[in-house]
Amino acid sequence: MDFEFATATRIIFGSGRLNDLGAIVSQFGSKAFVVTNFLPGHELSDRLESAFSDSGLQINLFVVKHEPTLSMVQAGLAAAREQKSDFVIGYGGGSALDCAKAIAALYKNPGEVTDYLEVIGLAKPLLADPLPVVAVPTTAGTGSEVTRNAVLGSEDRKVKVSLRSPLMLPKIALIDPALTLSLPSVKTASSGMDALTQLIEPFVSNAANPLTDAVCREGLRLVSRSLRTAYHFPDDLSAREDMALASLFGGIALANARLGAVHGFAGPIGGLFPAPHGMICARLLPIVMEANLAALEKRDHASSILDRFDEIARLLTGHPGAEADDGVEWVFDLREALKIPPLKEFGLTTADFPDLIHRASQASSMRGNPIVLTDEELETILNKAL
């Protein structure tokens, strides 16, 4: 048994805790660079403004309208440096949080963004400490508030890759589930399925450890009892709290274990097509579970991972006698109940398969999959997801 574990320096969880933000962040200085998805006048922007009303902080907003790209990070970095920011706040979905972490990471580190990127860059380590990051999610899915990477899109290379360093863990993760009450049903579905994926993949990954196992087990129970409720009854605060906690646990798990083939595909697909990350994961998850089970039973039938798939089934269904196939069926049923569209609706065709399989095979997430899948198996997954 050999593992490491790290997470945000301080985690604050609770409905209404956004009101404490001004007092909490004052320790980092007087100039806050806020990366957010919300324009001034939006309900959630107004709530943030209220949280800072008596803080005396200088607030500079940088609005992120879509998933972060290299050019977006470069623009935000220039603005943060010009304003001589003391710390960075990410306020919004995973796009805002990832962009915030990337800007903070590069603030004191010279060179280009690509110098520090995986796969398409030089993957240089960060030498200077990032600016302090305070992460405040307004969705329940990515867990970015407790991860040590930022997923960025390259417009030129049409791929999503990570900027990654242990130094990128936020100083404070503030999770206020009440902020997710206004989340539309389609985003509740996609973000919730993203959280589920990030609980299942680390649990069956080749780098699972006792600490990530514990949060995955509890997170799976939370998703099982509350994702459908949050989708159908968006004002149910108890369900929103469960999903916010499940998302947090998924972020902790992926940051300290590994992911798998779902995320191995999600990066390349998201780089080439206008498909939200959560939707891609949602469409692929039960298909990848099915493929991994078949591959393990065929080539590694004594693997202990098969027992983990049985345990997932019991956690999701609530039935003590459930087996792996029951868990896969439960996820398929959930995917249909949440109206997750096929990938062809985002422009994916069979002609794209060879390129996607090549790109996915090189993705860092694929290295965490519990078994190496063949190109034929990867093609079958894409065909079923189409």
Side-chain angles (χ1 to χ4, degrees):
M1 189 178 298
D2 185 4
F3 66 91
E4 296 183 12
F5 188 91
T7 191
T9 303
R10 182 182 177 193
I11 297 172
I12 301 167
F13 187 99
S15 295
R17 293 305 300 271
L18 179 67
N19 296 330
D20 302 329
L21 185 62
I24 290 169
V25 302
S26 60
Q27 63 186 291
F28 299 122
S30 61
K31 295 180 180 180
F33 189 76
V34 179
V35 183
T36 181
N37 299 126
F38 311 111
L39 291 166
H42 188 283
E43 174 194 355
L44 290 179
S45 182
D46 291 345
R47 293 180 69 174
L48 181 66
E49 184 178 346
S50 295
F52 286 132
S53 59
D54 298 321
S55 67
L57 294 172
Q58 177 183 323
I59 308 298
N60 295 293
L61 292 182
F62 182 75
V63 179
V64 173
K65 296 181 179 178
H66 50 75
E67 293 182 358
T69 61
L70 303 190
S71 60
M72 185 188 299
V73 169
Q74 197 64 54
L77 183 59
R81 286 171 172 166
E82 181 181 357
Q83 293 157 12
K84 296 181 171 54
S85 304
D86 294 319
F87 62 100
V88 179
I89 297 174
Y91 179 74
S95 57
L97 271 57
D98 275 7
C99 191
K101 289 191 294 182
I103 291 168
L106 298 170
Y107 188 91
K108 297 179 182 178
N109 285 279
E112 301 297 323
V113 180
T114 50
D115 291 342
Y116 304 93
L117 289 179
E118 297 178 346
V119 184
I120 65 170
L122 302 178
K124 289 183 178 179
L126 298 178
L127 297 179
D129 286 343
L131 289 183
V133 173
V134 179
V136 185
T138 61
T139 63
T142 68
S144 184
E145 65 271 18
V146 286
T147 61
R148 61 183 83 188
N149 71 302
V151 180
L152 309 176
S154 167
E155 301 98 319
D156 295 337
R157 303 287 287 272
K158 295 188 182 302
V159 68
K160 291 181 180 179
V161 293
S162 279
L163 172 65
R164 190 185 309 273
S165 170
L167 299 176
M168 290 175 63
L169 284 164
K171 295 297 183 185
I172 293 176
L174 189 152
I175 303 97
D176 183 341
L179 296 175
T180 67
L181 288 170
S182 60
L183 202 62
S185 59
V186 65
K187 289 188 177 181
T188 297
S190 62
S191 60
M193 289 294 285
D194 191 15
L196 177 60
T197 304
Q198 293 172 176
L199 292 162
I200 289 176
E201 288 204 300
F203 191 66
V204 298
S205 80
N206 54 29
N209 66 67
L211 283 170
T212 59
D213 287 349
V215 295
C216 286
R217 288 186 178 102
E218 181 59 22
L220 288 168
R221 293 187 186 96
L222 295 169
V223 173
S224 174
R225 80 185 184 196
S226 291
L227 178 50
R228 287 177 187 250
T229 302
Y231 178 77
H232 290 294
F233 304 99
D235 293 331
D236 188 315
L237 183 57
S238 179
R240 293 295 193 180
E241 288 174 340
D242 278 358
M243 289 308 303
L245 195 55
S247 176
L248 171 66
F249 287 169
I252 290 172
L254 76 89
N256 291 284
R258 290 178 181 166
L259 293 166
V262 175
H263 280 82
F265 271 128
I269 293 173
L272 290 168
F273 301 95
H277 174 78
M279 285 295 184
I280 300 170
C281 291
R283 189 68 190 174
L284 289 170
L285 178 58
I287 303 169
V288 170
M289 291 172 69
E290 187 178 58
N292 279 334
L293 275 170
L296 287 164
E297 289 167 352
K298 181 179 180 180
R299 298 194 294 276
D300 193 8
H301 59 84
S303 172
S304 61
I305 299 297
L306 290 168
D307 296 330
R308 286 178 173 256
F309 275 106
D310 289 336
E311 186 174 358
I312 288 170
R314 293 191 292 271
L315 290 166
L316 292 178
T317 66
H319 300 313
E323 297 181 347
D325 289 341
D326 300 314
V328 174
E329 182 179 0
W330 189 93
V331 178
F332 269 118
D333 289 344
L334 177 65
R335 191 186 71 175
E336 297 309 305
L338 300 184
K339 300 179 181 179
I340 303 299
L343 294 184
K344 66 183 178 182
E345 292 195 11
F346 301 105
L348 188 70
T349 70
T350 55
D352 302 305
F353 288 3
D355 184 36
L356 286 174
I357 290 169
H358 173 70
R359 290 172 181 246
S361 298
Q362 295 180 314
S364 58
S365 292
M366 194 66 82
R367 294 197 291 270
N369 206 58
I371 188 168
V372 176
L373 298 173
T374 66
D375 285 357
E376 292 75 16
E377 289 166 335
L378 295 175
E379 183 176 356
T380 298
I381 290 169
L382 289 175
N383 264 309
K384 291 183 176 181
L386 200 58

